[in-house]
Amino acid sequence: MNRFQVRKVAVLGAGVMGAQIAAHLVNCKVPVVLFDLAAKDGPKNGIVSRAVEGLKKLKPAPLGLNEDAALIQQANYEDHLALLGECDLVIEAIAERMDWKLALYQMIAPALSPSAIVASNTSGLSITQLSAVLPESIQPRFCGIHFFNPPRYMALVELINTPTTQPEVLDQLEAFVTSALGKGVVRAQDTPNFIANRVGIAGMLATIQEAANFGLSYDVVDDLTGKKLGRAGSGTFRTADVVGLDTMAHVIQTLQANLADDPFFPSYATPPVLAALIAKGALGQKTGAGFFKKIGKDILRLDPAKGDYVPAGGKSDPLVDRILKKPAAERLKLLRESSNPQAQFLWAILRDSFHYAAVHLAEIAESARDVDFAMRWGFGVKQGPFELWQDAGWQQVAAWVKADIEAGKALSGAPLPAWVFDGRTGVHQSEGSWSPSRKAYLPRSTLPVYQRQHFPESVLGAGAVAPLDAGTEVFRNDDVRLWTLDGEVLIASITCKLHLISPAVVEGLLKGVELAEAGYKGLVIWSPDDVFSAGANLESAMPVFMKHGAQGVKPEIKKLQDAMLRLRYAQVPVVAAMRGIALGGGCEISVHCARRVAAMETYVGLVEVGVGLVPAGGGLAYIARRAAEMAGAANVTNWATADLMKFAMEGFTNAAMAKVGTSALESKKLGYLLDSDIIVPNKDELLFVASTQAKAMFDSGYRPPLKTLFAVAGRSAIATLKGQLANLRDGGFISAHDFHISTLIAEAICGGDVDAGSMVSEDYVMTLERERFCALLEHPKSQERIMGMLQTGKPVRN
């Protein structure tokens, strides 16, 4: 197979974006060298060194593990240009100055590998103009690449070609960015600000203008334009603060400088409030003030009339909240017809988005799908503008937009394109998405990289089969579906809310193991959303507890523990395909599987202390067993307390403090993923990789581990841990109840009242777990924590 091999990447420019792109490459285990100018004072790599150190302080964290910053090779243009010859991909990410970029290209061109792809990470400069300065030999390998900020978390990458870019170069780069970096790729035309920023910034400008028209404050607008509208939770003005008001102004200036003939050109004017904030250095989150300002714990909003900050906290009208919960067609009709200014505002910004996207589609994108994906992946919307329009009834919405344009209510008098009214019911259908420039429906890309995605993200109307309706169903109960795509691997999908572990989930997983052993090569536990499992369903256990007390719950806990061991000792490999949260019981399911395949953004931990309990699904038995295994691997022969405690201490601390890995990389460091497990950058490849792993393990002669005894640290280690906990309690760092819970965790992990080095079984430690879990169920302080979590969703500290 011929594929683009990326042995090393060079990132040119150690600014905010360049450094974070380098960090994401390191997260994905891609070797990277980060360049910048030679420092005038001190070490020549000083600019890069400061940028790399700065990565450790940024929030949200660009690095999966802060210590991985050391993996970023540092370089400067004076001393290290020769390193470019080792790089298969060179990403330029310096400031948005055409003259600076062109000068840099002329400097680096002689040092580039003859086969390297060169790409400019720009948010809107002309890729064709940038290409023109390069030697003719490099132009076919040059293109635009636009990562969205922050690169680790934002899915979107736009790729932009030039008239001289070889098609295979974009294909190779798309495959690498999709699979190795985990991104959603959209091909954009070489137009100002490309797709997402063109549509998104125009939408933000429209929102600012319409908010002023309807007299709405910034906090109310953010509440209206956040999750309630199916958009990013930060809304509009908070998003602008996070992005940076200077960055937003730069993108606006690109529109102003290049789109004088655009029918929406008047709406590209820099809002006076934005210009005023920038003039006084209030650039948003990075300067501590923008549209919002935080003082201590208080959030203030700008009051433009007063020119000062006032308390924030304004919310949307309950009437509008109810409207926003309606189906799309009814929702838009009610918003348009309502006399409520908030409803009128929402209709106005939605109308503006439909109008703008339709008028510019042919110019900025190959198809409507590219616009909808760009907005979904780059701006966090649930539905792109064309999806929502189609969902609400294409022709009816088109008629409403047309009427508003003719009445002078829209931002521009430009008419909707003729294709909008050709009798269509939308722009997405099973054969593809509408391309006005080609006057045809274009299908999804057929690049080989997408064959690894069994259920890629799709747009409304494309007719994609929902994962939980796909394949051949073998078994289903209320909370689990067992099914197969290929007849070789059985898939278990937990279907209940947050995939909380209930008796039905336990039943389904046990049935899955039974069926997999009887006729499949393995069992893969996978669900098509951003939750592996949020833990046990405490609410479902409450009726049993209320009727029979803790003793009534104990048999259910035993069933859960037995199910965990059934997963561990299954005769075929059980693989956990994880993304999003795997907490409490979800963590325990995963650690008892033969292997874990985790998306980069997988957050794993034992968090039971937050509800006043101890892990009781084998999590503490896992920690105890792993401590003994690690001690054995380190050739420990003296099972004295200190030797075993050294290996058990980290697991104890993680459970007692409810530590959660904030990436798959950190989850591996915490011990919830192993070195043999696989981290997959692209979440849509999880099922493919997990199924491939299960088949490979089976075909390699898989046998489950043998049940063995292992050594525990015993009573003396418990005494030592209690002493340390007492110091924390007496110092006010933990409560008396935290001390009690942590002591019970220590007792289970260390094997209870036994000598150091005593050999015990998993069943023995699970019995200790079960007894302590049930004792805590009857403790008033734990009951307070459980009820607090059930009622508010937030932990209670008592």
Side-chain angles (χ1 to χ4, degrees):
M1 179 177 68
N2 182 24
R3 64 177 181 145
F4 178 48
Q5 297 281 2
V6 179
R7 294 162 296 178
K8 183 183 287 188
V9 176
V11 176
L12 311 182
V16 174
M17 278 301 291
Q20 290 196 71
I21 292 169
H24 187 62
L25 287 160
V26 165
N27 290 338
C28 298
K29 304 306 177 192
V30 178
V32 59
V33 53
L34 180 60
F35 279 85
D36 211 301
L37 298 169
K40 294 179 180 179
D41 300 308
K44 282 192 173 182
N45 285 342
I47 294 174
V48 176
S49 297
R50 287 189 292 273
V52 171
E53 281 301 305
L55 290 170
K56 302 174 185 179
K57 302 171 186 175
L58 287 178
K59 298 293 179 185
L63 289 160
L65 289 172
N66 271 349
E67 53 262 43
D68 282 353
L71 300 176
I72 298 174
Q73 187 176 356
Q74 301 179 16
N76 67 79
Y77 302 123
E78 285 187 14
D79 299 332
H80 304 116
L81 281 182
L83 290 175
L84 292 174
E86 303 172 9
C87 299
D88 301 298
L89 172 62
V90 177
I91 300 173
E92 171 269 305
I94 68 170
E96 295 283 277
R97 284 274 301 266
M98 180 72 75
D99 54 340
W100 290 0
K101 289 178 184 284
L102 297 182
L104 177 62
Y105 294 170
Q106 291 174 334
M107 178 173 65
I108 66 169
L112 295 172
S113 162
S115 60
I117 293 176
V118 183
S120 175
N121 181 73
T122 174
S123 61
L125 295 180
S126 169
I127 304 303
T128 301
Q129 288 182 40
L130 291 172
S131 175
V133 73
L134 288 167
E136 288 187 9
S137 60
I138 298 176
Q139 289 179 0
R141 296 179 278 116
F142 179 79
C143 64
I145 184 170
H146 182 209
F147 287 85
F148 267 62
N149 189 26
R152 171 182 164 186
Y153 302 95
M154 298 303 294
L156 179 63
V157 168
E158 294 172 316
L159 295 184
I160 309 97
N161 69 338
T162 75
T164 57
T165 306
Q166 291 179 343
E168 58 266 29
V169 165
L170 281 189
D171 290 349
Q172 291 170 340
L173 190 54
E174 181 168 348
F176 171 73
V177 170
T178 298
S179 192
L181 304 187
K183 299 303 177 185
V185 172
V186 166
R187 303 272 185 108
Q189 307 290 0
D190 189 11
T191 55
N193 293 336
F194 313 127
I195 298 175
N197 273 343
R198 178 74 174 272
V199 176
I201 296 299
M204 292 179 76
L205 288 170
T207 299
I208 294 172
Q209 184 170 329
E210 300 289 7
N213 291 344
F214 290 97
L216 302 181
S217 62
Y218 303 139
D219 48 358
V220 170
V221 169
D222 276 4
D223 194 46
L224 286 167
T225 60
K227 291 183 178 179
K228 293 175 181 178
L229 198 62
R231 298 183 176 181
S234 52
T236 300
F237 293 99
R238 176 63 183 147
T239 296
D241 277 353
V242 171
V243 169
L245 302 191
D246 53 340
T247 301
M248 183 178 175
H250 172 80
V251 178
I252 293 170
Q253 288 163 7
T254 301
L255 297 175
Q256 295 168 351
N258 296 280
L259 296 171
D261 296 330
D262 189 313
F264 286 78
F265 184 77
S267 69
Y268 300 152
T270 303
V273 63
L274 180 64
L277 286 168
I278 293 172
K280 61 182 182 182
L283 306 180
Q285 181 174 275
K286 58 189 170 186
T287 61
F291 288 107
F292 294 93
K293 183 178 183 179
K294 187 175 182 181
I295 299 179
K297 294 184 178 180
D298 297 325
I299 304 295
L300 308 179
R301 66 168 173 84
L302 180 69
D303 183 333
K306 296 180 178 179
D308 201 357
Y309 291 90
V310 298
K315 298 293 182 182
S316 58
D317 190 309
L319 168 66
V320 177
D321 289 348
R322 290 194 293 272
I323 291 175
L324 291 177
K325 294 177 181 178
K326 302 288 185 181
E330 185 180 358
R331 179 165 75 244
L332 264 61
K333 182 176 188 295
L334 290 171
L335 290 174
R336 186 172 189 269
E337 295 177 353
S338 174
S339 59
N340 184 298
Q342 294 184 12
Q344 292 175 339
F345 160 76
L346 287 175
W347 162 251
I349 63 170
L350 291 173
R351 174 203 64 217
D352 295 341
S353 70
F354 301 148
H355 186 195
Y356 191 89
V359 168
H360 292 93
L361 174 58
E363 173 192 357
I364 65 175
E366 284 191 345
S367 76
R369 177 178 53 248
D370 296 324
V371 172
D372 282 343
F373 275 160
M375 294 307 295
R376 188 189 296 180
W377 295 334
F379 278 80
V381 304
K382 186 176 180 181
Q383 290 182 309
F386 292 116
E387 287 182 286
L388 177 56
W389 184 349
Q390 183 166 331
D391 194 18
W394 184 270
Q395 290 300 331
Q396 178 61 80
V397 173
W400 289 338
V401 175
K402 180 175 183 290
D404 277 12
I405 295 170
E406 293 172 349
K409 297 179 180 179
L411 292 177
S412 167
L416 290 170
W419 57 263
V420 170
F421 300 102
D422 63 5
R424 68 181 57 247
T425 57
V427 289
H428 304 304
Q429 57 184 39
S430 57
E431 66 183 272
S433 294
W434 178 249
S435 171
S437 59
R438 298 206 199 169
K439 296 180 173 57
Y441 286 90
L442 302 186
R444 289 287 295 268
S445 171
T446 57
L447 287 177
V449 67
Y450 294 115
Q451 306 310 307
R452 295 169 58 88
Q453 300 181 4
H454 289 307
F455 301 101
E457 286 194 50
S458 185
V459 288
L460 180 140
V465 177
L468 295 181
D469 294 326
T472 301
E473 187 170 296
V474 180
F475 170 86
R476 181 192 284 268
N477 65 16
D478 290 343
D479 292 346
V480 172
R481 182 189 190 228
L482 300 177
W483 54 292
T484 183
L485 282 171
D486 57 9
E488 292 188 284
V489 172
L490 189 65
I491 303 165
S493 296
I494 305 174
T495 58
C496 52
K497 183 179 179 180
L498 293 177
H499 306 166
L500 296 174
I501 302 168
S502 63
V505 169
V506 172
E507 175 201 18
L509 294 178
L510 289 173
K511 186 69 173 178
V513 173
E514 175 191 334
L515 292 173
E517 289 178 334
Y520 296 88
K521 290 186 174 182
L523 174 68
V524 171
I525 304 173
W526 172 86
S527 299
D529 56 26
D530 282 322
V531 178
F532 180 73
S533 172
N537 189 334
L538 293 174
E539 196 168 2
S540 70
M542 290 307 291
V544 177
F545 175 72
M546 296 300 291
K547 186 174 182 179
H548 302 289
Q551 291 307 308
V553 175
K554 188 174 287 188
E556 297 303 316
I557 300 299
K558 180 67 164 63
K559 289 179 184 176
L560 174 64
Q561 293 174 332
D562 289 344
M564 297 298 181
L565 294 178
R566 186 76 175 91
L567 293 175
R568 174 167 166 75
Y569 295 107
Q571 295 301 306
V572 293
V574 180
V575 179
M578 309 161 65
R579 62 188 264 210
I581 58 174
L583 304 178
C587 172
E588 290 171 316
I589 288 175
S590 69
V591 299
H592 284 90
C593 291
R595 182 156 295 172
R596 285 139 297 278
V597 176
M600 182 67 69
E601 299 308 321
T602 303
Y603 311 101
V604 190
L606 296 171
V607 296
E608 285 82 355
V609 296
V611 289
L613 300 171
V614 299
L620 301 183
Y622 167 79
I623 291 172
R625 174 174 55 78
R626 282 290 298 155
E629 290 171 350
M630 289 187 290
N635 294 318
V636 171
T637 56
N638 176 17
W639 297 107
T641 301
D643 290 334
L644 265 176
M645 266 195 65
K646 180 172 60 176
F647 293 98
M649 177 60 79
E650 185 174 0
F652 162 76
T653 303
N654 295 340
M657 296 183 64
K659 283 189 177 180
V660 175
T662 55
S663 66
L665 296 171
E666 188 175 8
S667 297
K668 180 177 285 189
K669 184 180 178 182
L670 295 180
Y672 297 128
L673 300 177
L674 306 180
D675 288 340
S676 56
D677 295 331
I678 297 172
I679 297 175
V680 178
N682 195 311
K683 62 180 176 56
D684 290 335
E685 295 186 0
L686 266 181
L687 182 56
F688 170 85
V689 175
S691 299
T692 301
Q693 285 293 308
K695 286 185 276 192
M697 292 169 74
F698 180 90
D699 291 340
S700 299
Y702 175 80
R703 298 289 301 173
L706 295 173
K707 292 186 178 182
T708 60
L709 301 180
F710 53 88
V712 289
R715 67 177 73 87
S716 53
I718 296 171
T720 301
L721 290 172
K722 284 184 69 174
Q724 295 175 1
L725 291 168
N727 289 334
L728 293 173
R729 179 198 59 201
D730 296 342
F733 296 102
I734 62 174
S735 69
H737 195 50
D738 290 327
F739 171 83
H740 179 56
I741 297 170
S742 297
T743 297
L744 298 183
I745 291 173
E747 290 174 357
I749 290 175
C750 296
D753 189 16
V754 297
D755 294 333
S758 294
M759 305 299 287
V760 302
S761 67
E762 288 168 302
D763 284 318
Y764 170 81
V765 180
M766 285 183 171
T767 299
L768 298 179
E769 286 183 354
R770 191 164 63 248
E771 291 172 348
R772 283 149 182 78
F773 180 92
C774 291
L776 284 168
L777 273 180
E778 296 181 329
H779 197 294
K781 293 287 188 181
S782 286
Q783 291 174 7
E784 285 178 15
R785 293 192 182 188
I786 293 169
M787 294 309 298
M789 179 62 73
L790 292 177
Q791 291 170 2
T792 69
K794 297 179 181 179
V796 174
R797 287 299 174 198
N798 54 6

